[in-house]
Amino acid sequence: MLTDKRILLIIAGGIAAFKSLDLIRRLRERGALVTPVLTRSAEEFVTPLSVSSLAGEKVYRDLFDLTDEAEMGHIQLSRSADLIVVAPATADLMAKMANGLANDLASTLLLATDTPVLIAPAMNVRMWEHPATQRNLTTLQGDGIGVVGPNEGDMACGEYGPGRMSEPLEIVSEIESAMRVGALSGQRVLVTSGPTHEPIDPVRYIANRSSGAQGSAIAEALVEQGAEVIFVTGPADAARPNGVHLVEVETAQEMMQAVQGTLPVDAAVFSAAVADWRVASASESKIKKTKDGLPVLSFAENPDILATVSQMKSGRPKLVIGFAAETDDVIENATSKRLRKGCDWIVANDVSPETGIMGGSENAVTLISDDGAESWPRMGKAEVACQLAERIAKALQ
Ligand code: CTP
C-alpha cells in the first residue's frame, strides 16, 4: 500500500502519456496522493482537466505561474513529495535531466529536488537505442535515478523493439519497492563488482570470466532494503543495477582509487573479481609480431582492495565482506583468506568449471565469519543476494 505517500508525477509529451491517466488511478487506489505536473507537449496528448480530475488535485504546468509561486515555490514543490515519478520520460526530458538543464517547470523541479526520482522512459526504438540516449541513461543511473522499462513490443509509430513505456502496474510495483522503508535505510553500502581489465597494449588486455551477475544482484537487494548503494564495477556483462550510484572503472588500480573515493561507508561488499596482477609496463602502442621471438610479459602486483579497506586504522566500515572464488579446498582456503585479509565475513564459492557458477545464474555459497562456516543450499544469485542483504541489515542494527 502507498497510503498517504505523496508522489509528484511528471507527465512528459509522448503518446504513452495516456497510460499515465491509468497510473494515477492505480496509485490513488493504493492510497497515494498524486501531485501532477504536465509539460507543455504533454498537454497535446492529455488534457490538464482529465489529469486533475483523476488526481483530485491541481495540475502544475508553468514555471512562471505566479499564483503557484505564491502558494508553493518550485523548490518546495520539488521537495514536498516522497518520490518523483516521470512517466512517460521522453528522450528530450532524459537529455535535460542528464545535463542539468532547467528551462521549464518539469526540468527545474527535477534539478531542484533532493527526493528520489524514478523514470519510465517511452520513445521510438531508434531514439531509445541512439548512443546519445544510452549515454544519458548511464548518466542518470549513475546519479542514482531509478529506471523502470522500457518494454519491448509494437510501437505506436509502427516499429517494433524496446521503447514502450512500462505498464501502469509495473510502474506501481517499482514505486512500491522504491518507497519501502527497508532495514538498511540510512546506511551507505559500497559494492564492488565485475572483472577488471588489465591492459597489455592499447588493444589487448588480461581479464577473467566474472560476469558481475552476483554483484549486481547484491546491489539490487541492498537497494531493496533501503540502503544508499555505491556500485563500483569493472567492465561486466551483467546489467547495471537500478537505484545505485554507479562508478565504472576498468583496472584494479582504478577500482582502488574509486573505492577510496566512496569512503566512509557503513558496510562494504567486495564481490569484484579483481585481477591480482597487471602487466608491469603496458605498451603504449600495439605490440607487433617480430621474427625475434615471442613477447615476454612481466607482471606487477595490484593493490589488494579488500585487504586495504579491512585493515584501515580509522574510518573502517563496520562490516567488510569479501568473496573467495576457489576451485580447491574451498572452505579451508576461504577461512585462511578471511584471516589474512582481515575482513569480517567471506562468502566462499566453488568456481570449478563443472559447477557452472562463474557466469551462470546460480550460486552455492558458504558464509564464513567468526561464528564458523555456514553452507547455504544452491540457489539463484538473486536469492543469495537477498539473504546476504538481510544478514547485512541484521549485522548493522
Ligand atoms: N580482492 C580485492 N583486490 C584484489 C584482489 C582481490 O579487493 N587485488 C578481493 C575480491 O574482491 C574478493 C577477495 O579479495 O572479495 C578475494 O579475492 P581472490 O581473488 O579470491 O583472493 P586472492 O587475494 O587473489 O587470493 P588467492 O590468490 O589466494 O586466491
Side-chain angles (χ1 to χ4, degrees):
M1 287 299 275
L2 293 168
T3 315
D4 291 339
K5 295 288 183 200
R6 181 158 291 282
I7 291 166
L8 188 75
L9 175 65
I10 296 177
I11 304 178
I15 186 71
F18 78 93
K19 288 199 209 167
S20 302
L21 298 178
D22 190 32
L23 176 62
I24 296 174
R25 196 169 64 84
R26 304 286 185 174
L27 289 170
R28 293 203 64 205
E29 276 169 7
R30 286 161 177 75
L33 307 165
V34 181
T35 309
V37 174
L38 278 180
T39 65
R40 268 213 198 295
S41 49
E43 291 184 29
E44 303 289 331
F45 295 93
V46 289
T47 68
L49 184 60
S50 51
V51 171
S52 73
S53 311
L54 281 164
E57 295 206 19
K58 174 185 169 58
V59 177
Y60 290 86
R61 297 156 63 189
D62 199 338
L63 186 54
F64 300 105
D65 185 331
L66 290 179
T67 330
D68 292 347
E69 284 295 320
E71 275 176 19
M72 183 189 276
H74 63 269
I75 303 285
Q76 198 190 338
L77 180 60
S78 77
R79 296 180 189 173
S80 59
D82 297 296
L83 180 72
I84 297 185
V85 177
V86 187
T90 56
D92 177 65
L93 189 49
M94 283 176 65
K96 281 185 187 167
M97 289 171 75
N99 291 287
L101 297 187
N103 59 359
D104 61 7
L105 179 59
S107 53
T108 304
L109 292 174
L110 286 159
L111 193 62
T113 194
D114 56 5
T115 302
V117 177
L118 175 73
I119 63 171
M123 65 197 71
N124 165 273
V125 53
R126 300 268 168 273
M127 292 170 78
W128 173 251
E129 284 172 349
H130 194 285
T133 304
Q134 290 302 310
R135 230 175 12 247
N136 292 333
L137 176 69
T138 306
T139 302
L140 293 173
Q141 286 174 319
D143 291 345
I145 286 178
V147 183
V148 48
N151 293 346
E152 199 159 297
D154 287 321
M155 312 212 37
C157 52
E159 290 186 66
Y160 183 91
R164 275 165 66 126
M165 187 169 89
S166 294
E167 295 306 317
L169 284 179
E170 291 175 291
I171 301 175
V172 166
S173 124
E174 280 295 316
I175 292 173
E176 282 173 335
S177 50
M179 294 287 213
R180 202 167 297 139
V181 179
L184 282 169
S185 69
Q187 307 277 9
R188 228 171 110 79
V189 185
L190 160 71
V191 178
T192 69
S193 184
T196 61
H197 285 182
E198 307 297 330
I200 296 171
D201 67 16
V203 295
R204 305 180 179 96
Y205 57 83
I206 295 170
N208 61 61
R209 294 185 199 280
S210 166
S211 64
Q214 187 63 82
S216 280
I218 291 169
E220 272 189 356
L222 292 165
V223 169
E224 281 269 309
Q225 295 270 355
E228 179 193 354
V229 177
I230 306 107
F231 186 70
V232 178
T233 181
D237 289 342
R240 305 294 182 255
N242 267 325
V244 299
H245 297 282
L246 181 69
V247 185
E248 308 223 28
V249 298
E250 191 159 327
T251 65
Q253 285 178 303
E254 287 168 11
M255 189 173 274
M256 178 81 238
Q257 213 174 7
V259 162
Q260 276 165 335
T262 69
L263 301 174
V265 293
D266 297 289
V269 184
F270 292 94
S271 56
V274 185
D276 291 317
W277 312 283
R278 64 179 180 277
V279 175
S281 43
S283 171
E284 285 189 0
S285 49
K286 188 181 169 200
I287 301 173
K288 304 294 286 178
K289 268 191 284 188
T290 65
K291 291 200 173 58
D292 308 334
L294 298 172
V296 176
L297 298 179
S298 55
F299 290 92
E301 192 162 336
N302 272 328
D304 190 322
I305 309 169
L306 171 63
T308 307
V309 173
S310 296
Q311 292 162 26
M312 281 170 64
K313 293 276 175 293
S314 71
R316 181 190 190 275
K318 287 188 271 268
L319 181 65
V320 180
I321 305 171
F323 272 66
E326 306 286 345
T327 53
D328 307 285
D329 306 321
V330 178
I331 295 181
E332 206 182 316
N333 278 333
T335 303
S336 60
K337 194 169 281 182
R338 185 177 86 92
L339 298 175
R340 195 169 67 241
K341 301 220 183 196
C343 55
D344 302 297
W345 301 350
I346 280 261
V347 180
N349 57 5
D350 184 345
V351 291
S352 310
E354 63 276 14
T355 64
I357 283 174
M358 202 113 179
S361 60
E362 292 189 331
N363 209 349
V365 307
T366 300
L367 182 65
I368 297 171
S369 66
D370 265 342
D371 301 333
E374 180 190 316
S375 292
W376 296 359
R378 189 173 171 123
M379 57 182 103
K381 287 185 174 172
E383 188 55 34
V384 170
C386 284
Q387 299 215 10
L388 190 63
E390 277 169 22
R391 288 296 185 93
I392 293 171
K394 265 200 203 129
L396 291 183
Q397 262 169 13

